[in-house]
């Protein structure tokens, strides 16, 4: 591949979140002609859209940040242990300013389709003008003032999908939604200028991460808060606080060690993983370890022992300890039991990090309803009906999550050789290393399905994928190659590896969005690679060193060419 004029761009990137921004920076730095398209009016991806009350990262801020530029690390100060959405969006905007990224990003532009031309060995990118809801008052220039690429087609040798794992909302339809005379809000598309809930009666449907954060943030300001919970969630305390100047200085001194530890860990951030199974320890030793992890807070709780996700009895010990903490924080024993998960193993559904969630149920105007036994039946003009009871509310908040992992990819009409990607993935995603899917040449995904992605610190996974993709395209350019694709047999093997690793764990036992269980009609397949970030990185680097095992390459004449490791 060369930067010739046979295409509009060498590479088109879909998405201007943390993955798309870094991919743009790396490829542009390497001398490629690159264009990014994003439906939003500003950078930030997930952190542009997820602006609901209480939205906050669940990995400590100093780990959830870029590591590629030392000056960037040294100049940015995080204010809290777990940064809130406005600060993370400010960080994304700072990165865009610092590296002058916006000049190569077309905002307010939705990629509708990608069509592979076998004759020219190029992708045609079809775009439309985005008219996303909830962008009033968005940071950055108004949508009508931002250069966009809507309603046009573009050609590129390569396309990189940096579309994010949690970016397509799951919006259930309830009977009577059009009858509701109050205000309907989605956590996945909260208005930029906010919603005043002071003194209002509010119903929240959903108690996943966004629901828990929203409920915690709004509880005290509402006149009445009705929470409809289908499945309770494990939530580990964040113990969030303002970072001191001394702590920030210490982090900046130790960034090299911090980043190395993150890359060597299973979750992509240092969780001080246990090295022995729980069954090797006495009850007293186990309690001391769990006390210490609970006091520290955060998602490292599930990493206390090596058998937590493979031994149901060991998992239950951690689950019961967490339920004991709920009982200690909620005054009403019956309410505490309703908030206590019992139908799935701990960490088989995404655990949450809370900042006072369970305590809100001690407030007299906050009421929890079991939507598994008394489901929401319909919306009414004045509220909603659930379990045969009518609830009058002014605002209904739908915290119903996302079509995770695959939704942002399959909503694009992607075709190659007469086959659509949505058809190929009808029974679950099929990829090689979460980087490519067989039959779709020159199409790469950042943190795609069957890579660790959402089971890790996304910034570590993003940087690894972006760096790998950049190395791949640079190597191809140096060797005059124009085409790369995953071998079908390698894809078959990787799908089996993913299934085997997940199947050997307790992970598939949770009806989670990891499985697509929150989307009606979506086939249940465990989508992320469950073997750990460090294991995955080692495998990919090993395959790359073994002459890019699993990929096949061709030059401009169509001749297949072996590519030896650089």
């Amino acid at each position: 591949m060369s930067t010739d004029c046979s295409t509009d761009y060498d590479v088109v990137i879909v998405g201007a979140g943390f993955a798309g921004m870094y991919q743009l920076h790396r490829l542009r730095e390497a001398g490629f002609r690159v264009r990014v398209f994003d439906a939003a009016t500003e950078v930030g991806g997930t952190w542009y859209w997820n602006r609901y009350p209480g939205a906050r990262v669940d990995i400590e801020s100093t780990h959830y940040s870029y590591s590629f530029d030392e000056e960037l690390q040294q100049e940015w100060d995080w204010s809290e242990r777990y940064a809130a959405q406005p600060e993370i969006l400010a960080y994304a905007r700072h990165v865009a300013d610092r590296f002058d990224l916006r000049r190569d990003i077309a905002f307010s532009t939705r990629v509708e389709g990608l069509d592979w031309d076998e004759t020219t060995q190029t992708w045609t990118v079809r775009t439309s003008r985005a008219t996303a809801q909830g962008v009033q008052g968005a940071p950055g220039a108004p949508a009508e003032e931002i250069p966009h690429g809507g309603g046009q087609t573009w050609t590129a040798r390569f396309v990189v999908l940096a579309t994010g794992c949690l970016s397509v909302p799951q919006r259930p339809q309830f009977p009577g939604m059009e009858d509701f005379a109050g205000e309907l809000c989605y956590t996945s598309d909260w208005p930029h200028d906010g919603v005043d809930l002071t003194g209002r009666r509010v119903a929240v449907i959903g108690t996943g991460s966004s629901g828990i954060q929203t409920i915690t943030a709004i509880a005290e300001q509402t006149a009445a808060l009705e929470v409809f919970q289908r499945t309770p969630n494990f939530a580990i305390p964040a113990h969030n606080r303002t970072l001191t100047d001394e702590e920030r200085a210490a982090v900046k001194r130790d960034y090299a060690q911090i980043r190395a530890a993150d890359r060597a860990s299973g979750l992509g951030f240092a969780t001080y993983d246990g090295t022995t199974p729980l069954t090797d320890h006495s009850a007293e030793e186990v309690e001391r370890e769990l006390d210490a992890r609970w006091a520290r807070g955060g998602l490292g709780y599930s990493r206390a022992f090596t058998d937590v996700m493979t031994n149901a009895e060991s998992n239950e010990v951690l689950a019961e300890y967490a339920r004991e903490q709920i009982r200690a924080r909620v005054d009403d024993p019956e309410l505490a039991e309703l908030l206590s998960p019992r139908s799935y193993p701990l960490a088989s559904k995404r655990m949450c990090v809370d900042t006072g969630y369970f305590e809100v149920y001690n407030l007299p105007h906050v009421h929890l309803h079991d939507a598994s036994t008394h489901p929401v039946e319909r919306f009414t003009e004045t509220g909603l009906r659930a379990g045969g009871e009518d609830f009058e509310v002014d605002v209904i908040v739908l915290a119903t999550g996302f079509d995770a992992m695959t939704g942002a990819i399959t909503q694009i009409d992607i075709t190659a050789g007469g086959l659509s990607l949505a058809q190929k993935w009808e029974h679950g995603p099929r990829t090689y290393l979460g980087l490519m899917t067989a039959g779709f040449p020159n199409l790469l995904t950042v943190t795609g399905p069957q890579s660790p992605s959402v089971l890790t610190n996304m910034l570590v996974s993003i940087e690894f994928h972006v760096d790998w993709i950049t190395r791949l395209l640079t190597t191809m350019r140096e060797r005059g190659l124009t085409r790369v694709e995953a071998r079908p047999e390698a894809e078959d093997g990787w799908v089996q590896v993913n299934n085997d690793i997940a199947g050997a764990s307790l992970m598939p036992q949770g009806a989670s969005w990891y499985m697509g269980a929150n989307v009606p009609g979506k086939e249940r397949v465990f989508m992320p690679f469950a073997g750990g970030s460090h294991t995955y990185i080692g495998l990919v680097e090993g395959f790359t060193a073994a002459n890019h095992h699993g990929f096949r390459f061709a030059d401009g004449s169509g001749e297949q060419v072996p590519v030896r490791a650089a």
Side-chain angles (χ1 to χ4, degrees):
M1 182 192 64
S2 62
T3 53
D4 58 59
C5 296
S6 62
T7 59
D8 294 311
Y9 301 104
D10 299 320
V11 187
V12 159
I13 300 168
V14 185
F18 282 111
M21 287 197 298
Y22 183 46
Q23 186 70 82
L24 169 60
H25 172 68
R26 290 284 281 118
L27 289 176
R28 198 170 68 182
E29 191 178 47
F32 292 92
R33 297 174 304 137
V34 190
R35 189 67 163 166
V36 180
F37 296 110
D38 197 293
T41 63
E42 176 59 302
V43 298
T46 293
W47 299 106
Y48 170 90
W49 295 108
N50 284 338
R51 52 192 172 267
Y52 56 83
R56 187 179 298 277
V57 71
D58 59 4
I59 292 169
E60 291 180 59
S61 310
T62 54
H63 301 270
Y64 193 85
S65 57
Y66 288 123
S67 70
F68 69 88
D69 187 273
E70 180 60 22
E71 290 185 6
L72 174 62
Q73 291 189 138
Q74 294 300 319
E75 72 190 13
W76 184 266
D77 287 312
W78 292 104
S79 67
E80 294 182 278
R81 186 181 179 195
Y82 293 89
Q85 179 268 342
E87 186 171 12
I88 301 171
L89 182 57
Y91 175 69
R93 296 178 69 195
H94 172 77
V95 173
D97 290 340
R98 194 180 192 287
F99 297 101
D100 190 21
L101 299 180
R102 291 185 187 83
R103 62 183 168 90
D104 289 313
I105 303 174
F107 294 108
S108 301
T109 305
R110 188 177 307 280
V111 173
E112 300 284 356
L114 301 169
D115 304 299
W116 174 253
D117 188 320
E118 189 65 30
T119 302
T120 62
Q121 302 283 289
T122 59
W123 284 100
T124 297
V125 182
R126 292 180 276 117
T127 65
S128 66
R129 180 72 181 271
T131 55
Q133 299 178 14
V135 299
Q136 296 82 5
E144 63 272 13
E145 296 179 10
I146 297 173
H148 64 90
Q152 302 181 52
T153 60
W154 315 84
T155 56
R157 184 69 65 190
F158 290 88
V159 173
V160 177
L161 297 175
T163 45
C165 299
L166 298 171
S167 52
V168 173
Q170 159 62 9
R171 292 189 169 180
Q173 295 298 308
F174 295 96
M177 289 182 79
E178 66 282 356
D179 298 332
F180 180 52
E183 196 165 359
L184 179 61
C185 302
Y186 295 86
T187 54
S188 56
D189 193 13
W190 201 265
H192 276 285
D193 48 6
V195 180
D196 186 4
L197 300 176
T198 305
R200 303 176 77 181
R201 300 168 300 173
V202 180
V204 177
I205 300 175
T207 54
S209 181
S210 57
I212 283 176
Q213 290 181 332
T214 299
I215 291 161
T216 307
I218 70 174
E220 291 195 358
Q221 63 184 278
T222 61
L225 181 58
E226 312 291 342
V227 177
F228 295 88
Q229 169 193 273
R230 184 177 62 180
T231 307
N233 258 299
F234 288 104
I236 312 303
H239 301 308
N240 190 41
R241 56 182 171 74
T242 300
L243 295 174
T244 66
D245 290 340
E246 291 76 13
E247 287 173 319
R248 284 192 285 265
V251 165
K252 291 181 180 182
R253 286 195 305 270
D254 295 338
Y255 258 133
Q257 291 79 15
I258 290 170
R259 303 304 192 186
D262 287 351
R263 286 188 285 269
S265 67
L267 294 185
F269 63 101
T271 52
Y272 312 102
D273 292 2
T275 58
T276 54
L278 183 146
T279 51
D280 284 357
H281 297 270
S282 68
E284 293 76 14
E285 290 171 333
V286 170
E287 186 168 9
R288 280 198 300 271
E289 177 65 19
L290 298 186
D291 284 345
R293 287 183 178 262
W294 201 266
R296 187 181 191 282
L299 297 177
Y301 175 73
S302 65
R303 311 289 291 190
F305 304 99
T306 58
D307 60 345
V308 172
M309 296 313 300
T310 56
N311 184 314
E313 292 181 359
S314 296
N315 187 284
E316 175 59 20
V317 172
L318 272 71
E320 179 55 25
Y321 182 97
R323 290 191 286 263
E324 288 175 3
Q325 304 304 315
I326 296 172
R327 291 192 286 270
R329 295 164 66 184
V330 179
D331 296 340
D332 183 338
E334 291 186 7
L335 197 55
E337 179 58 28
L338 188 57
L339 288 162
S340 297
R342 293 190 180 275
S343 60
Y344 60 91
L346 177 136
S348 64
K349 294 165 69 80
R350 177 76 175 195
M351 287 199 306
C352 301
V353 176
D354 88 275
T355 54
Y357 171 65
F358 294 105
E359 287 82 355
V360 306
Y361 293 101
N362 296 326
L363 299 172
H365 66 281
V366 178
H367 309 106
L368 181 67
H369 308 280
D370 187 354
S372 66
T373 57
H374 294 79
V376 175
E377 299 164 16
R378 63 173 293 110
F379 284 25
T380 66
E381 182 178 358
T382 57
L384 56 82
R385 182 175 303 140
E389 183 179 356
D390 286 324
F391 297 87
E392 293 191 359
V393 295
D394 307 305
V395 182
I396 298 176
V397 176
L398 289 175
T400 47
F402 299 87
D403 184 355
M405 305 293 292
T406 58
I409 296 174
T410 57
Q411 75 165 358
I412 304 171
D413 180 20
I414 305 174
T415 60
L419 177 68
S420 80
L421 186 59
Q423 288 173 327
K424 180 181 177 181
W425 287 5
E426 183 180 3
H427 300 295
R430 298 185 61 82
T431 77
Y432 180 51
L433 306 178
L435 284 161
M436 298 195 79
T437 185
F440 292 80
N442 294 9
L443 179 70
L444 296 126
T445 52
V446 180
T447 64
Q450 296 169 340
S451 75
S453 61
V454 294
L455 296 182
T456 69
N457 176 358
M458 287 297 293
L459 267 293
V460 168
S461 288
I462 284 169
E463 287 193 329
F464 176 71
H465 269 188
V466 167
D467 290 342
W468 188 91
I469 290 170
T470 305
R471 279 188 287 146
L472 175 75
L473 300 192
T474 302
T475 298
M476 290 180 67
R477 180 177 60 189
E478 290 170 352
R479 302 180 188 188
L481 304 175
T482 59
R483 176 185 179 125
V484 59
E485 56 188 313
R487 295 180 180 274
E489 64 273 19
E491 176 177 278
D492 291 342
W494 187 248
V495 171
Q496 190 62 52
V497 165
N498 273 266
N499 292 341
D500 288 347
I501 291 175
S505 75
L506 303 175
M507 295 296 290
Q509 295 185 24
S512 67
W513 54 259
Y514 297 147
M515 301 279 293
N518 63 318
V519 180
K522 189 170 182 176
E523 190 146 338
R524 295 193 181 189
V525 178
F526 195 80
M527 292 181 282
F529 175 81
S533 176
H534 54 341
T535 302
Y536 173 84
I537 289 173
L539 286 170
V540 175
E541 293 290 22
F543 292 151
T544 303
N547 300 327
H548 293 83
H549 169 80
F551 297 97
R552 60 187 177 203
F553 299 83
D555 60 19
S557 68
E559 287 291 320
Q560 289 195 27
V561 179
V563 173
R564 309 218 173 267

